[in-house]
């Protein structure tokens, strides 16, 4: 049985230290409860997750659900259905806020021949309204978290390709919206990448002065994570390897602290069952991706390689909330 967990790190972010709270279970029921997204709407938390019968993404039995918390993750409301389209398997793949502070959610909808992304909006974490289903020239495997970039509007990153070793057929890029999510423009940053060159499941933060910093997963096991940076509001990018090596198919999630300017990077080390964090002055790694400091252990979970992980973080003031899943199929 798989379950979705929220680990709370009560951040003393100015020093990079934290006091651990006991992880709280959001969802535990029969089925493969997995791949959570967590977002703060004001003082409330919304945790979205997907449930099917196994580690599969296109099965009709897989749908997307949500629970909310008004007490900092201690208790959660009964789940509500976000998306359950007949004939499709659905997974939440990205979240964020619109220009009015409402929550956005990207849901990937798949069957045997179709893979599309639906954008939903909610103000309460209970009722989700479909906003857009963009028609994109390059069909993404996934569209990730939405963030705001001055002069550009809303931005999200995407990646496309195959998880097989089928030659230079992989790509990634940006989606931007100037009308609060109604329409999206797609830009390809890199294409014809081999699988070892392919950055997947990226997390991004806007640092100011046109600078964007991204950390991305690699599909090459536990070797490293990628870092991509832009100094011109996302027009041009540079991609390099980091020194972050305590990873195995680890999805990154970044939180930038507005008061201190420090960056927290959360990821779950699959196979080891450890949720980790690295805290850094982003200026020290922006041009030096081999300069990330050592990681701290935040929480633990199951050590089954693909049946735990996918950290996703949000913040309410100086408290960070990190959702991940843990268990064993099915």
């Amino acid at each position: 049985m798989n379950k979705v967990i929220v680990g709370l790190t009560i951040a003393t972010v100015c020093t990079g230290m934290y006091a651990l709270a006991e992880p709280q279970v959001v969802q535990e029921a029969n089925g493969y409860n997995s791949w959570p997204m967590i977002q703060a709407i004001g003082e409330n938390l919304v945790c979205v997750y997907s449930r099917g019968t196994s580690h599969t993404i296109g099965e009709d039995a897989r749908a997307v659900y949500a629970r909310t918390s008004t007490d900092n993750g201690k208790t959660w409301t009964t789940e509500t259905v976000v998306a359950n389209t007949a004939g499709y398997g659905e997974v939440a793949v990205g979240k964020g806020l619109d220009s009015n502070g409402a929550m956005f959610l990207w849901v990937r909808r798949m069957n045997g021949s179709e893979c599309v992304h639906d954008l939903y909006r909610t103000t309460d974490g209970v009722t989700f309204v479909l906003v857009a289903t963009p028609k994109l020239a390059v069909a993404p495997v996934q569209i990730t978290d939405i963030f705001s970039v001055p002069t550009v509007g809303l931005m999200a990153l995407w990646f496309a390709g195959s998880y097989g070793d089928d030659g230079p057929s992989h790509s990634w890029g940006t989606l931007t919206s100037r009308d609060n999510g109604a329409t999206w423009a797609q830009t390809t940053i890199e294409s014809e990448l081999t699988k070892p060159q392919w950055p997947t499941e990226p997390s991004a933060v806007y640092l100011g002065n046109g600078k964007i910093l991204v950390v991305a997963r690699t599909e090459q096991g536990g070797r490293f994570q990628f870092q991509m940076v832009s100094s011109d509001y996302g027009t041009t990018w540079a991609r390099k390897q980091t020194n972050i090596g305590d990873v195995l198919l680890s999805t990154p999630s970044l939180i930038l602290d507005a008061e201190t300017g420090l960056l927290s990077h959360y990821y779950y080390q699959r196979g080891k069952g450890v949720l980790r964090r690295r805290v850094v002055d982003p200026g020290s790694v922006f041009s030096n991706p081999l300069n990330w400091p050592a990681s701290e252990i935040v929480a633990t979970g199951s050590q089954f390689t693909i049946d735990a992980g996918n950290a996703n973080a949000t913040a309410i003031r100086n408290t960070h909330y990190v959702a991940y899943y843990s268990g064993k199929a099915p």
Side-chain angles (χ1 to χ4, degrees), residues 21-322:
E22 186 70 21
Q24 306 295 313
V25 175
V26 180
Q27 164 70 11
E28 183 174 16
N30 288 333
Y32 199 93
N33 300 277
S34 51
W35 309 318
M37 297 279 147
I38 191 165
Q39 178 64 55
I41 305 178
E43 298 293 309
N44 298 332
L45 293 171
V46 182
C47 188
V48 180
Y49 51 92
S50 182
R51 182 167 65 253
T53 64
S54 62
H55 192 114
T56 55
I57 57 178
E59 60 172 338
D60 188 22
R62 180 165 288 283
V64 176
Y65 306 89
R67 292 178 184 262
T68 63
S69 176
T70 60
D71 57 6
N72 302 310
K74 296 181 181 67
T75 61
W76 295 84
T77 59
T78 302
E79 72 175 15
T80 56
V81 178
V82 177
N84 187 12
T85 306
Y88 291 84
E90 288 163 301
V91 177
V93 291
K95 57 91 200 275
L97 296 174
D98 74 0
S99 59
N100 300 313
M103 178 182 173
F104 269 142
L105 184 73
W106 287 112
V107 173
R108 179 181 58 201
R109 178 162 48 90
M110 293 185 67
N111 57 20
S113 59
E114 191 177 14
C115 177
V116 296
H117 285 77
D118 298 321
L119 182 65
Y120 291 86
R121 177 187 287 118
T122 182
T123 58
D124 59 7
V126 178
T127 302
F128 289 76
V129 177
L130 180 64
V131 175
T133 303
K135 297 184 183 300
L136 303 173
V138 181
V141 171
Q142 197 166 310
I143 303 171
T144 55
D145 289 355
I146 295 169
F147 59 105
S148 181
V149 178
T151 78
V152 174
L154 300 175
M155 181 178 287
L157 301 181
W158 59 268
F159 62 96
S162 167
Y163 290 94
D165 297 307
D166 54 353
S169 60
H170 305 79
S171 59
W172 72 277
T174 62
L175 289 179
T176 55
S177 176
R178 296 182 180 274
D179 54 12
N180 205 24
T183 61
W184 294 84
Q186 185 181 39
T187 300
T188 298
I189 304 301
E190 290 187 290
S191 60
E192 298 184 355
L193 298 174
T194 63
K195 184 178 175 182
Q197 296 171 321
W198 188 33
T200 64
E201 305 194 10
S203 180
V205 289
Y206 178 70
L207 300 176
N209 298 317
K211 292 185 176 182
I212 304 170
L213 187 148
V214 177
V215 176
R217 167 175 145 170
T218 174
E219 300 305 317
Q220 295 302 298
R223 299 180 183 179
F224 59 86
Q225 289 178 324
F226 283 114
Q227 178 175 294
M228 295 96 81
V229 297
S230 173
S231 297
D232 54 12
Y233 300 94
T235 302
T236 61
W237 293 82
R239 173 178 53 85
K240 295 181 180 179
Q241 295 182 13
T242 69
N243 63 329
I244 302 172
D246 49 0
V247 291
L248 177 63
L249 306 176
S250 296
T251 300
S253 192
L254 305 178
I255 298 288
L256 182 66
D257 183 72
E259 292 186 8
T260 66
L262 293 179
L263 180 65
S264 291
H265 168 22
Y266 293 95
Y267 56 99
Y268 190 95
Q269 187 179 11
R270 282 174 149 166
K272 298 293 186 181
V274 178
L275 178 66
R276 296 185 179 275
R277 178 175 83 155
R278 297 185 186 224
V279 180
V280 71
D281 176 352
S284 69
V285 295
F286 189 84
S287 300
N288 300 283
L290 299 179
N291 202 33
W292 280 85
S295 64
E296 307 163 307
I297 296 176
V298 175
T300 59
S302 63
Q303 297 181 10
F304 300 103
T305 302
I306 65 168
D307 294 333
N310 289 79
N312 186 258
T314 192
I316 299 178
R317 295 185 301 278
N318 69 338
T319 303
H320 296 180
Y321 301 85
V322 188

